[in-house]
């Protein structure tokens, strides 16, 4: 027996040692010395206590080559997923279950556009951004060739192919698609307009309503401030995409006239789908003439968000409407042509090959008109709506992207005018570029090409492709785009809400949010003239929404409270709600379930189950709810197929009865036990985490966080009847920078800076994030090197 125990103990020890060796072998290198081909001189990479690389190089090419290498060792599998989404090659890597997504992306035209953008990028010649991008790619490929691949490749039995300029543009295409709200919204709005008519449409906020908050504009005369040198349903289809979608954001920049330090205070938190790893990778680059701390997408060499000691750039989603759908009229004498007025135009066709893992490749036909690709076969909602061809006219695929040039120039800008010029290069997706600098300038530009629509086009309803008056008319000049430069108010802010009327008189349509977040930000800023880092932190993590209490009070006014006397205490608390979402409160638990049942009982009979689910997942639900509840002429309350005409009071009362019964069954009879923390689940899913037991290995789960809709600290979830709310998106970072001490800026990521499961930085920020805390973004060289937790020296391999 003793011998057996000895043998078992030895085997256990061998297993533990083997596992530790496996972990060590698959962990990123945060120290030591590595030979890297292509380097001209030695590069030193210091990793701080959160695994953020601080890269010190003697020239630009070496800096970006080193960035590519360390980015790949931390985030290669994330890069793999993002390039495969954008290139329509997921099925080749993960199998036939992803074939529908590939077909959708090929039809939409992103892989084709990536090829066109790459060709245009290369024909520009030896530009600084081309040289930097190519050096970055060489660094990524150096790791692919000589580094230890992440364990995900071992589990899938795959190896990565070299990373290319085309892959880079595929990732930009993926990023651009995530902003394409039109695909989620326009088929539903068209269905409502056609099946139900204008009376039903009028109770929704299809376009911005007068009570919504708009962003004020301030156009400058000039900019002259120099700095120091420097197929299933679409919803089901999108749920299969193994990378997060970019969903919204906040940013505000406060002038020195309103700050304690007298210097500009910069804030940004981008709202993106929860994932593991989270979307942003932080890296700090230093070489002669350049110092920049950036937040990078996997596979993108330049920081979409970041700062030097002299200027800072941030972003939010503009949410402009840059995608229209045309219902085509076929030529009666030639079904391979469409008609526009009396003129016929050909329907072109091309075939693309989609590789499928373990199976034969698929030859896939894509048909296009002058308006764009025909979408009926890949978007069920469109196919169910009409048998006529419906094409997608999307600004992004109309011309090659200049995103790499724009981002490079913003990173390297020497003054505010150079940032404005760079922003003008972005044609799509629409981005709000936020800016502050050490000289006291603050600015916001809406970066996008804004189309001039035909007079008969409703931007959310399928247009008649045969009507000459419905055709696109051209573009507004960038100088007319929404913007605000050094306004008298002393701040600029954007929160995905509607900009005010442009100076050309246009109130440009979009998929804007109602402005609840913007209004809270604006009111808070205007109430103080001593803003600092600490007060900014408190505002950035605030979970108050002012509209929800108004909705709750209105709903309470519709019911006979004597019918709910046994629950009078919880209804009184709801009556007095201030809109906060504290985890120990039971008010959000009641409110969101009650709201769900109210909307379901009112709308599902008209929209059907799929249509109602689609409605809940669009921007339209968020900005329509207040109007929907209070509109005296709302036709949705009456149920289809009943002899009586149901009223708002009946529907809201029935919804409350269901809510109270279900919560009693779910959490117990005592309403004090219905705490919000019991209803909230916070998890950052990994692409492989959908398969058990891999979810236990790769997904990052945290304690409950104060989920909410449209608070500044927006932690979004899908409204549902189950009453358990899984947070699906939130701030993908929270950045605060005071130009009185640019080296002292702070941030936090939802999980960690590394995407390598065996890195100690895989999830080392999750508790900071959940608790609303921050950690430094180090830029001071002495401090970085004194506090470094690892130093990796990259030397030329000659």
């Amino acid at each position: 027996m003793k011998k057996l125990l000895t043998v078992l103990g030895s085997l256990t020890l061998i297993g533990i040692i083997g596992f530790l060796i496996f972990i060590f072998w698959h962990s990123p290198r945060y120290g030591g010395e590595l030979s890297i081909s292509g380097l001209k001189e030695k590069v030193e990479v210091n990793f701080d206590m959160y695994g953020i690389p601080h890269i010190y190089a003697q020239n630009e090419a070496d800096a970006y080559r080193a960035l590519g290498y360390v980015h790949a060792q931390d985030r290669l599998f994330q890069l793999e997923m993002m390039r495969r989404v954008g290139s329509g090659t997921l099925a080749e890597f993960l199998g036939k279950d992803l074939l529908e997504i590939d077909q959708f992306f090929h039809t939409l035209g992103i892989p084709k556009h990536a090829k066109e953008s790459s060709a245009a990028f290369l024909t520009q010649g030896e530009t600084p951004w081309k040289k930097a991008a190519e050096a970055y790619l060489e660094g990524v490929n150096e790791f692919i060739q000589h580094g230890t691949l992440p364990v995900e490749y071992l589990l899938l039995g795959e190896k990565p192919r070299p990373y290319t300029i085309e892959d880079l543009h595929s990732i930009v295409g993926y990023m651009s698609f995530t902003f394409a709200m039109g695909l989620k919204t326009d088929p539903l709005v068209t269905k409502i307009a056609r099946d139900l008519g204008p009376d039903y449409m009028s109770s929704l906020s299809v376009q911005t309503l007068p009570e919504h908050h708009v962003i004020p504009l301030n156009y400058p005369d000039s900019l002259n401030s120099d700095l120091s040198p420097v197929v299933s349903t679409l919803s089901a289809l999108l749920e299969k995409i193994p990378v997060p979608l970019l969903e919204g954001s906040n940013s505000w920049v406060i002038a020195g006239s309103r700050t304690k330090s007298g210097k500009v205070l910069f804030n940004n938190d981008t709202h993106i789908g929860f994932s593991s790893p989270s979307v942003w990778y932080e890296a700090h680059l230093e070489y002669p003439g350049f110092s920049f701390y950036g937040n990078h997408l996997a596979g993108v060499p330049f920081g979409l968000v970041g700062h030097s000691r002299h200027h800072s750039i941030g972003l939010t989603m503009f949410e402009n409407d840059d995608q229209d759908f045309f219902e085509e009229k076929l030529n009666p004498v030639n079904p391979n042509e469409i008609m526009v007025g009396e003129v016929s135009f050909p329907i072109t066709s091309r075939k693309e090959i989609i590789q499928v893992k373990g199976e034969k490749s698929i030859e896939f036909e894509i048909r296009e008109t002058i308006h764009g690709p025909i979408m009926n076969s890949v978007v069920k909602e469109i196919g169910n709506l009409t048998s006529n061809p419906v094409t997608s006219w999307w600004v992004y695929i109309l011309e090659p992207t200049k995103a790499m040039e724009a981002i490079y120039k913003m990173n390297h800008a020497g003054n505010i005018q150079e940032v404005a010029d760079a922003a003008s290069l972005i044609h799509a997706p629409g981005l709000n570029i936020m800016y502050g600098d050490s000289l006291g300038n603050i600015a916001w530009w809406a970066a996008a090409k804004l189309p001039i629509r035909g007079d008969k086009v409703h931007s959310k309803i399928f247009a008649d492709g045969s009507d000459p008056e419905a055709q696109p008319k051209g573009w507004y000049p960038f100088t007319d785009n929404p913007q605000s430069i050094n306004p008298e108010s002393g701040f600029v802010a954007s929160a995905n809400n509607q900009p005010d009327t442009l100076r050309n008189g246009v109130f440009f349509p979009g998929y804007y949010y109602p402005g609840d977040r913007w209004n809270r930000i604006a009111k808070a800023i205007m109430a103080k003239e001593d803003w600092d880092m600490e007060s900014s932190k408190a505002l950035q993590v605030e979970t108050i929404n002012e509209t929800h209490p108004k909705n709750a009070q209105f709903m309470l006014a519709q019911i006979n409270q004597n019918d709910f006397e046994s629950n009078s205490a919880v209804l009184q608390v709801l009556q007095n709600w201030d809109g906060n979402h504290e985890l120990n409160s039971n008010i959000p638990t009641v409110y969101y379930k009650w709201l769900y049942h109210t909307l379901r009982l009112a709308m599902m009979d008209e929209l059907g189950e799929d249509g109602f689910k689609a409605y809940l997942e669009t921007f339209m639900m968020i900005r329509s709810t207040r109007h929907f509840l209070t509109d005296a002429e709302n036709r949705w309350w009456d149920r289809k197929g009943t002899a009586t005409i149901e009223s708002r009071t009946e529907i809201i009362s029935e919804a409350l009865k269901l809510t109270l019964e279900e919560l009693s069954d779910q959490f117990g009879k005592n309403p004090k036990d219905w705490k919000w923390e019991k209803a909230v689940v916070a998890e950052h899913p990994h692409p492989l985490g959908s398969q058990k037991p891999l979810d236990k290995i790769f997904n990052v789960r945290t304690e409950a966080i104060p989920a909410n809709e449209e608070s500044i600290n927006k932690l979004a979830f899908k409204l549902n009847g189950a009453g358990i709310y899984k947070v699906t998106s939130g701030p993908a970072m929270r950045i605060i920078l005071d130009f009185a001490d640019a080296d002292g800026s702070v941030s936090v990521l939802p999980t960690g800076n590394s995407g390598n499961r065996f890195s100690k930085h895989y999830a080392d920020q999750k508790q900071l994030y959940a608790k609303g805390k921050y950690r430094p973004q180090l830029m001071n060289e002495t401090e970085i090197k004194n506090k470094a937790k690892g130093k990796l020296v990259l030397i030329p391999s000659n």
Side-chain angles (χ1 to χ4, degrees):
M1 183 66 178
K2 188 175 181 180
K3 181 181 277 189
L4 177 60
L5 291 174
T6 301
V7 172
L8 290 175
S10 299
L11 291 174
T12 301
L13 180 61
I14 291 169
I16 292 171
I17 292 171
F19 182 65
L20 292 175
I21 292 172
F22 182 85
I23 290 175
F24 175 80
W25 184 252
H26 284 85
S27 297
R29 289 282 300 273
Y30 295 127
E33 190 174 280
L34 283 173
S35 296
I36 301 293
S37 63
L39 284 181
K40 296 177 184 176
E41 299 181 69
K42 182 177 71 173
V43 178
E44 186 177 296
V45 185
N46 290 273
F47 292 92
D48 65 25
M49 67 181 296
Y50 290 100
I52 295 159
H54 301 265
I55 298 170
Y56 292 87
Q58 300 307 307
N59 60 78
E60 182 173 74
D62 282 356
Y64 282 105
R65 189 173 282 104
L67 174 63
Y69 188 90
V70 297
H71 202 171
Q73 75 164 358
D74 271 320
R75 297 290 188 101
L76 183 62
F77 191 72
Q78 184 183 50
L79 184 158
E80 186 77 62
M81 291 293 95
M82 289 172 65
R83 70 170 167 176
R84 286 189 174 276
V85 170
S87 61
T89 58
L90 280 169
E92 177 185 24
F93 192 70
L94 296 176
K96 64 180 181 180
D97 288 347
L98 283 303
L99 179 60
E100 284 183 317
I101 296 176
D102 288 346
Q103 291 174 324
F104 172 77
F105 274 83
H106 278 277
T107 302
L108 197 57
I110 291 177
K112 178 173 176 283
H113 184 266
K115 291 182 173 65
E116 295 166 350
S117 293
S118 298
F121 184 82
L122 295 173
T123 57
Q124 284 186 300
E126 293 301 304
T127 61
W129 46 93
K130 175 178 178 288
K131 292 177 181 178
E134 288 179 337
Y136 173 88
L137 264 65
E138 289 167 6
V140 172
N141 289 331
E142 177 78 14
F143 179 79
I144 289 174
Q145 185 175 359
H146 299 294
T148 302
L149 298 177
V151 71
E152 290 93 331
Y153 288 100
L154 178 64
L155 293 172
L156 292 169
E158 294 285 348
K159 290 185 178 180
R161 54 177 170 76
Y163 187 47
T164 67
I165 289 289
E166 190 174 313
D167 289 327
L168 191 158
H169 285 104
S170 294
I171 289 172
V172 174
Y174 140 78
M175 183 186 77
S176 302
F177 164 73
T178 67
F179 292 94
M181 183 63 78
L183 274 164
K184 302 176 183 178
T185 305
D186 291 12
L188 177 63
V189 175
T190 301
K191 177 180 174 60
I192 293 171
R194 292 182 179 182
D195 294 354
L196 301 173
D199 289 346
Y200 285 82
M201 290 277 286
S202 66
S203 297
L204 305 176
S205 175
V206 178
Q207 307 288 24
T208 300
L209 297 174
E211 59 263 34
H212 293 154
H213 303 284
V214 300
I215 308 175
L217 311 184
N218 186 57
Y219 292 94
D221 294 325
S222 62
L223 298 173
N224 294 310
S225 299
D226 285 335
L227 301 173
S228 303
V230 290
V231 127
S232 36
T233 64
L234 184 62
S235 296
L237 194 70
L238 297 183
E239 287 175 359
K240 290 183 179 181
I241 295 178
V243 286
L245 302 182
L246 287 72
E247 298 186 4
S249 303
N250 300 320
S251 185
W252 59 93
V253 191
I254 307 176
S257 60
R258 290 191 172 277
T259 66
K260 185 180 291 186
S261 70
K263 295 291 185 178
V264 167
L265 191 62
F266 182 93
N267 304 260
N268 195 191
D269 54 287
T270 57
H271 300 168
I272 299 176
F274 272 4
S275 67
S276 185
S278 53
V279 70
W280 296 116
Y281 182 77
E282 294 188 32
H284 166 212
L285 273 68
E286 296 271 354
Y287 57 85
F290 185 71
S291 174
F292 195 81
Y293 191 113
N295 289 68
H296 301 255
L297 286 177
V300 177
F302 315 125
L304 277 79
V305 174
H307 66 276
S308 68
R309 291 179 179 84
H310 309 291
H311 79 296
S312 185
I313 56 170
L315 61 84
T316 73
M317 289 171 57
F318 179 15
E319 296 284 11
N320 58 303
D321 191 340
D322 64 358
Q323 186 175 32
D324 291 334
F325 295 90
F326 288 89
E327 187 167 1
E328 309 287 15
K329 177 182 177 182
L330 295 176
N331 186 345
V333 298
N334 184 351
N336 291 315
E337 294 178 342
I338 63 164
M339 302 298 298
V340 178
E342 300 301 318
V343 181
S344 63
F345 294 89
I347 298 175
T348 62
S349 176
R350 72 178 188 274
K351 292 184 178 180
E352 297 191 5
I353 304 297
I354 300 178
Q355 304 294 332
V356 181
K357 185 175 184 178
E359 299 191 12
K360 292 182 179 180
S361 60
I362 302 294
E363 188 175 67
F364 182 57
E365 183 181 25
I366 299 166
R367 304 180 76 219
E368 293 183 319
T369 76
I370 57 169
H371 298 126
I374 297 172
M375 302 297 293
N376 302 56
S377 64
V378 293
V379 179
K380 180 181 177 181
E381 291 86 344
I382 292 176
N384 288 343
L385 196 58
T386 178
S387 59
N388 296 322
V390 175
T391 52
S392 163
W393 185 87
W394 184 25
V395 172
Y396 179 71
I397 65 170
L398 297 181
E399 63 183 65
T401 180
K402 293 183 178 179
M404 288 302 101
E405 178 183 353
I407 302 167
Y408 177 91
K409 286 182 173 179
M410 282 190 272
N411 286 190
H412 293 75
N415 57 58
I416 187 173
Q417 183 64 59
E418 289 180 8
V419 176
D421 292 343
S424 71
L425 298 173
I426 298 172
H427 78 291
L431 298 173
N432 292 306
I433 305 298
M434 310 299 293
Y435 176 86
D437 68 34
S438 60
L439 299 181
N441 294 299
I442 62 173
W444 151 62
W445 300 272
K449 283 188 79 168
L450 302 183
I452 303 171
R453 290 183 164 87
D455 296 336
K456 292 186 177 181
V457 174
H458 184 299
S459 66
K460 308 293 187 299
I461 297 175
F462 293 177
D464 180 357
S466 68
D467 187 343
E469 294 185 37
Q471 308 308 306
K473 304 299 183 184
W475 308 95
Y476 296 109
F478 178 77
T479 51
D480 284 350
N481 275 27
Q483 57 187 278
S484 184
I485 317 296
N486 293 325
E488 290 186 10
S489 64
F491 78 97
V492 293
S494 65
N496 317 121
N497 54 313
Q498 170 89 52
D500 207 345
T501 303
L502 313 186
R503 64 176 161 195
N504 59 19
V506 173
F507 197 58
F508 196 82
Y511 303 94
Y512 307 112
Y513 286 79
D516 294 11
R517 286 179 280 128
W518 185 90
N519 189 47
R520 286 290 299 183
I521 293 165
K523 288 198 305 182
I525 293 173
M526 293 295 288
K528 285 168 57 71
E529 293 185 349
D530 60 348
W531 282 93
D532 59 12
M533 299 272 283
E534 291 306 310
S535 54
S536 291
K537 289 176 183 178
L539 183 59
Q540 208 169 51
V541 299
E542 183 188 88
T543 59
I544 295 173
N545 178 283
E546 295 181 2
T547 301
H548 294 326
K550 295 176 184 176
N551 293 342
Q553 290 160 12
F554 183 86
M555 293 162 72
L556 286 166
Q558 306 308 304
I559 66 170
N560 183 346
Q561 297 210 16
N562 291 330
D563 294 340
F564 301 94
E565 190 172 354
S566 61
N567 292 104
S568 59
V570 72
L571 297 186
Q572 185 60 47
V573 173
L574 189 58
Q575 178 73 45
N576 298 326
W577 187 27
D578 66 354
N580 213 326
H581 290 73
E582 297 105 329
L583 289 171
N584 63 357
S585 171
N586 60 359
I587 304 174
T589 317
V590 177
Y591 170 74
Y592 286 112
K593 184 176 271 287
W594 189 10
L595 179 61
Y596 170 81
H597 280 309
T598 297
L599 296 177
R600 178 184 64 82
L601 292 171
M603 304 182 80
M604 190 180 287
D605 53 319
E606 287 92 355
L607 297 180
E609 187 173 348
D610 287 343
F612 179 61
K613 181 181 178 183
Y615 175 78
L616 295 180
E617 294 181 7
T618 67
F619 80 102
M620 194 164 52
M621 185 273 288
I622 293 172
R623 78 177 189 184
S624 292
T625 295
R626 179 75 181 150
H627 178 60
F628 185 94
L629 293 171
T630 59
D631 180 17
E633 305 299 322
N634 190 339
R635 292 279 304 277
W636 293 88
W637 300 116
D638 182 31
R639 285 179 175 151
K640 295 282 187 182
T642 64
T644 58
I645 298 177
E646 286 77 16
S647 67
R648 174 170 56 195
T649 293
E650 289 176 276
I651 296 298
I652 291 176
S653 297
E654 183 180 346
L656 180 57
K657 182 175 181 292
L658 283 169
T659 295
L660 297 172
E661 290 174 352
E662 290 179 6
L663 290 177
S664 293
D665 292 339
Q666 188 173 3
F667 298 120
K669 301 296 183 183
N670 188 349
K672 292 182 179 179
D673 294 331
W674 304 349
K675 293 183 178 180
W676 189 224
E677 64 183 347
K678 294 182 178 181
V680 175
V681 175
E683 186 173 37
H684 304 270
H686 185 277
L688 301 187
S690 60
Q691 301 293 324
K692 296 183 182 301
L694 296 180
D695 59 323
K696 305 297 183 187
I697 299 172
F698 290 106
N699 291 358
V700 175
R701 190 161 184 168
T702 71
E703 60 193 76
I705 53 180
N708 66 80
E709 273 297 350
E710 288 308 285
S711 301
I712 295 174
N713 184 18
K714 180 173 179 174
L715 297 162
F717 54 86
K718 294 178 181 178
L719 204 61
N720 65 82
I724 295 296
Y725 305 100
K726 185 174 182 178
V727 179
T728 56
S729 67
M733 46 65 166
R734 300 187 184 108
I735 291 174
I736 305 174
L737 183 155
D738 188 335
F739 274 100
D741 178 19
D743 287 359
S745 66
V746 297
S747 184
V748 69
L749 298 176
T751 54
N753 205 46
S754 181
N756 186 304
R757 184 60 187 88
F758 297 115
S759 169
K760 60 185 176 181
H761 305 298
Y762 186 72
D764 59 339
Q765 297 180 53
K766 70 174 186 177
Q767 289 303 108
L768 291 175
Y769 181 87
K771 296 292 187 182
K773 296 182 179 180
Y774 297 75
R775 45 99 193 134
Q777 295 185 120
L778 300 176
M779 284 192 77
N780 181 277
E781 183 174 357
T782 300
E783 183 179 10
I784 288 167
K785 292 184 175 180
N786 285 342
K787 293 182 177 180
K789 298 301 180 181
K791 182 170 77 172
L792 181 64
V793 179
L794 306 179
I795 59 174
S797 61
N798 296 320

